[in-house]
Amino acid sequence: MEIKHLYLLFILITQFYFSFARTTSGEVNSLESVPDLENAMYLTVNGYPCVRLLNLSGEIGCANPGREKVVAPVVRLKDVNKFARPAAVLVSQGELQNFFIRVLNDHDFRSKVAGVLVESKSDVSTVERGFSPVEKFPQAKFAPYKNNNYEWNPTGSNIMWNKYNFPVFLLSQDSTLTLQQIASKNGKNKKAFTVDVAEFDLVMQTTKAGTHDSESCLKQQSCLPLGGYSVLSSLPPINDISEQPKSILLVVASMDSASFFRDNSPGADSPMSGMISLLAAVDALSHIDAVNEFNKQLVFLVLTGEAWGYLGSRRFLAELDMGSDVVHGLNRTLIELVMEVGSVGKAFDLGVNSLFTHASGGSSVSDKLMSAFQDALESLGSSIKVTRASKSNPGIPPSSLMTFLRKNSSLSGLVLEDFDTAFTNEFYNSHLDDLSNINSSAIARAASLVSRTLYILASEGKESNQNVLNSINVNSSLVEELLGCLLTCKPGLSCALVEDYIAPISTCPNHYVGVLVEPPSSTPILDYVSDVSRFVWNFLAERTSTPKENASSACTQDCSRGEVCIRSEKKGKGTCVVSTTRY
């Protein structure tokens, strides 16, 4: 399941044949070179690809049927039957799900499809019905209970997990308008030899002949595994020479999402709202002096690869079993509680300001957790409610906590979500789960709740620490800034907050997990670590750090034991800080 067919990030384009360019007076421009001829004949259109991936059982995703380019007339879905040969079908967002279901079930119709161009603008029908290309129970095989037919994701269609032997692209907004005009023109034109055609001139089959599943592909070394770098941090930093290690409160969020279109995986509600809420909570906790007095050790884990078989959490547990350097100072037996901040961005939807706790473990632990949440709510004077999830649920929803419970079924854990019995996010694992799908106030309020709850749990009591509890406040401006940095292209990763820490490779954030191009390492080459992972590492390293005697020591990478170098990518700004933050 974790295999990707191509490593290099490419901008996919479709090209269209046109007549020679003309001036406004109707005269043909002079063509003095082959590039001039190509520019006159072709119109470049931008899009996001659906790509071919491999798993243990075979292939999923989209690709050209062979190694030749695909050339086909551009037509609207309703006009497909007018053409004698296969067409490049222009499909609206509202038609997309039913279109692929029909492709899977109707062989005659499938034979008429040479390629698919998907309009970018979502229409009213899509918003009403929702669109989620994954299962109704995402990643059900990892559930720590038997009822894996439960529908957590009612809008799920599962179309992402099938194989399509034709190219599929999600068009940009500008390209959508262009293609709509071309398709309308072709639909009215009854002379087949004058139609405008799409040329999909990109071979998407990169594996060797006969390597059609992940196992054979890896053996032949003709593909790379999906993967990336998660980030671990602790507050306060872990003392390696402590005689009495503390029990661990492990706080988890995810940074990666998935989509039918690889390079457009915003994941705004699922999972980015939870990650942003966690970062804001850590920031709020970092401003209090009482962290060194905690009776419990707070450990934060921001995972990547969770959308693909919970890669990050499974790797973390494997590292614990191996006792590797990356988990030095941690012991799985010391983990007292796992709290996951899941989807919280839609907690204010439909006028119901409520978050839900999906808990596992004994009732005494659950009661203790709910008591901490209620004490935090009381201190906030908040209008938002926190409610226990329905007992009719089969167990916890799809989440990283599933990985921990499969390893240790008696572990106490909780997932904080914006839903009870089913996802409120109707665009789960979809390119439509963008900034417009979430509420920043809900994320900030969840961060306030999480930060104060963690303080109560870590300090084991609130009465004598009421003044400190009331001083823990989330910076709502930071939440807004993080949303702009991590979920938009403007400013995107060129925002001041991100550029204060790293030199981002791209401006537009994309939360697809990516691939591993080298064996996993606790000290990876930063060129192989994604922009988001590097930013999260630097952000957490600074927020969880404690002052050191020589605070002015500059660095590019190496620091003393127990220290890390933040801003190492920023020339002249690298600083060593005392922090337990690791890839």
Side-chain angles (χ1 to χ4, degrees), residues 23 33 44 67 77 87 99 187 232 245 312 321 331 343 362-363 396 488 523:
T23 64
S33 66
T44 300
R67 298 189 177 273
L77 181 57
F99 171 83
L232 178 150
D321 287 342
N331 188 316
S343 304
S363 58
I396 61 169
T488 71
T523 55

Side-chain angles (χ1 to χ4, degrees), residues 80 222 268 320 491 528 536:
V80 168
S222 60
L320 281 176
Y528 295 155
V536 169

Side-chain angles (χ1 to χ4, degrees), residues 375-386:
D375 289 342
L377 280 173
E378 183 181 328
S379 71
L380 288 166
S382 176
S383 58
I384 196 171
K385 297 190 303 180
V386 177

Side-chain angles (χ1 to χ4, degrees), residues 231-240 282 297-298 300 326 328 536-548 559-566 575-583:
V231 177
L232 178 150
S233 190
S234 68
L235 187 70
I238 296 172
N239 186 352
D240 288 346
V282 174
Q297 177 70 57
L298 289 178
F300 306 106
V326 75
H328 179 68
V536 169
W537 186 94
N538 279 270
F539 181 94
L540 289 178
E542 182 172 57
R543 294 306 196 275
T544 61
S545 65
T546 57
K548 54 172 295 187
C559 296
S560 300
R561 181 181 173 87
E563 298 176 358
V564 296
C565 179
I566 59 172
T575 306
C576 291
V577 297
V578 178
S579 177
T580 306
T581 303
R582 302 161 183 164
Y583 287 110

Side-chain angles (χ1 to χ4, degrees), residues 388-509:
R388 294 179 196 258
S390 172
K391 292 182 179 179
S392 66
N393 293 345
I396 61 169
S399 57
S400 302
L401 181 56
M402 286 184 166
T403 306
F404 291 90
L405 291 177
R406 284 172 65 88
K407 186 76 172 179
N408 178 7
S409 61
S410 63
L411 182 70
S412 296
L414 175 143
V415 187
L416 187 67
E417 301 278 13
D418 54 19
F419 62 86
D420 183 1
T421 58
F423 294 174
T424 53
N425 180 12
E426 296 180 328
F427 304 117
Y428 182 83
N429 277 184
S430 159
H431 61 285
L432 299 175
D433 186 13
D434 57 19
L435 186 61
S436 66
N437 195 39
I438 56 176
N439 185 306
S440 61
S441 297
I443 296 173
R445 185 56 69 184
S448 296
L449 179 65
V450 168
S451 59
R452 294 196 179 193
T453 300
L454 289 175
Y455 171 74
I456 293 169
L457 291 171
S459 58
E460 292 190 310
K462 80 179 184 85
E463 293 299 331
S464 61
N465 302 294
Q466 192 67 47
N467 291 334
V468 176
L469 181 65
N470 292 336
S471 72
I472 301 173
N473 294 301
V474 164
N475 184 347
S476 58
S477 295
L478 173 63
V479 172
E480 294 287 353
E481 192 172 9
L482 286 167
L483 290 172
C485 296
L486 299 173
L487 289 173
T488 71
C489 287
K490 294 181 180 180
L493 296 175
S494 63
C495 69
L497 178 62
V498 172
E499 290 200 328
D500 181 45
Y501 290 113
I502 67 169
I505 297 172
S506 60
T507 298
C508 287

Side-chain angles (χ1 to χ4, degrees), residues 181-194:
Q181 295 173 355
I182 291 173
S184 295
K185 175 186 171 185
N186 281 345
K188 296 174 183 177
N189 198 331
K190 301 187 184 306
K191 298 180 180 179
F193 60 88
T194 62

Side-chain angles (χ1 to χ4, degrees), residues 228-234 238 240 248 250 299-303 312-331 520-524 537 564 579-583:
Y229 282 93
S230 303
V231 177
L232 178 150
S233 190
S234 68
I238 296 172
D240 288 346
I248 294 171
L250 183 63
V299 175
F300 306 106
L301 188 59
V302 183
L303 297 163
S313 52
R314 288 163 60 198
R315 180 68 190 187
F316 172 71
L317 289 173
E319 296 280 359
L320 281 176
D321 287 342
M322 291 186 289
S324 64
D325 290 342
V326 75
V327 292
H328 179 68
L330 299 179
N331 188 316
S521 169
S522 60
T523 55
W537 186 94
V564 296
S579 177
T580 306
T581 303
R582 302 161 183 164
Y583 287 110

Side-chain angles (χ1 to χ4, degrees), residues 122-301:
S122 60
D123 52 31
V124 175
S125 62
T126 305
V127 174
E128 289 177 345
R129 293 198 311 270
F131 173 72
S132 176
V134 295
E135 311 96 319
K136 293 186 182 298
F137 190 149
Q139 308 196 77
K141 71 178 184 178
F142 293 97
Y145 47 83
K146 294 181 179 179
N147 185 2
N148 56 15
N149 293 318
Y150 187 81
E151 294 189 4
W152 287 107
N153 183 28
T155 59
S157 63
N158 202 39
I159 61 173
M160 194 170 96
W161 296 97
N162 295 296
K163 174 182 176 181
Y164 305 100
N165 282 324
F166 47 75
V168 181
F169 298 94
L170 172 66
L171 300 168
S172 66
Q173 288 190 347
D174 291 341
S175 298
T176 294
L177 296 174
T178 301
L179 267 295
Q180 286 173 338
Q181 295 173 355
I182 291 173
S184 295
K185 175 186 171 185
N186 281 345
K188 296 174 183 177
N189 198 331
K190 301 187 184 306
K191 298 180 180 179
F193 60 88
T194 62
V195 298
D196 295 321
V197 301
E199 178 182 293
F200 299 90
D201 192 10
L202 186 80
V203 176
M204 298 169 72
Q205 297 280 14
T206 61
T207 59
K208 296 179 180 178
T211 57
H212 296 300
D213 58 59
S214 57
E215 185 176 18
S216 58
C217 187
L218 285 172
K219 286 181 178 178
Q220 292 292 323
Q221 298 185 350
S222 60
C223 57
L224 292 166
L226 290 180
Y229 282 93
S230 303
V231 177
L232 178 150
S233 190
S234 68
L235 187 70
I238 296 172
N239 186 352
D240 288 346
I241 59 175
S242 175
E243 294 182 2
Q244 184 64 42
K246 299 176 182 178
S247 296
I248 294 171
L249 301 179
L250 183 63
V251 193
V252 180
S254 300
M255 70 172 83
D256 78 295
S257 185
S259 167
F260 194 87
F261 305 99
R262 182 195 65 183
D263 297 323
N264 195 347
S265 302
D269 185 46
S270 307
M272 295 304 294
S273 65
M275 188 195 85
I276 291 171
S277 183
L278 176 58
L279 295 183
V282 174
D283 175 72
L285 288 168
S286 71
H287 293 292
I288 64 173
D289 296 327
V291 294
N292 290 315
E293 301 170 8
F294 284 165
N295 294 320
K296 309 287 185 183
Q297 177 70 57
L298 289 178
V299 175
F300 306 106
L301 188 59

